[in-house]
Amino acid sequence: MTKNRLSDLNDHLFAQIERLADEDNTPEKIDQEHKRAEAMVGVADQILRTAAVQLQAAKLVSDHDGADPRPYLSMMEKPAADTALKLVAEK
């Protein structure tokens, strides 16, 4: 199975929220986690943009060639890819 799926990104972001919410954090630790969170948000934004491009490519392949678009959705696990394709097809 391929690593670094969108579900992994979700897990990392929620773990960061938990680190930020830790009530035992010192002011220095909060500052450190805040900086880490800002960096993570920047990277996450780029990852989501890449996923959106993959979804657009998959839709183009499906619409124009009738080919299976799932190979173009490498960042999504199969159930998520299927759901994403259904949502795009409805638009």
Side-chain angles (χ1 to χ4, degrees):
M1 175 177 272
T2 304
K3 291 183 179 182
N4 299 321
R5 305 273 186 171
L6 291 178
S7 60
D8 298 322
L9 172 62
N10 213 27
D11 293 341
H12 288 295
L13 293 173
F14 278 110
Q16 183 59 38
I17 289 171
E18 290 175 14
R19 285 190 293 272
L20 282 167
D22 186 349
E23 292 182 14
D24 294 328
N25 279 342
T26 63
E28 294 81 18
K29 184 70 173 174
I30 291 170
D31 186 51
Q32 178 185 10
E33 292 302 333
H34 178 259
K35 288 176 184 173
R36 179 192 285 203
E38 285 181 333
M40 289 178 76
V41 166
V43 172
D45 184 50
Q46 289 302 114
I47 290 169
L48 292 174
R49 287 176 194 222
T50 300
V53 170
Q54 285 185 349
L55 186 56
Q56 290 172 348
K59 182 168 176 16
L60 283 171
V61 166
S62 178
D63 289 351
H64 295 286
D65 293 340
D68 182 4
R70 277 177 240 143
Y72 295 87
L73 300 172
S74 62
M75 294 177 75
M76 296 182 192
E77 294 168 12
K78 185 181 179 330
D82 292 343
T83 300
L85 288 172
K86 286 177 188 174
L87 291 173
V88 169
E90 292 173 1
K91 290 185 177 182

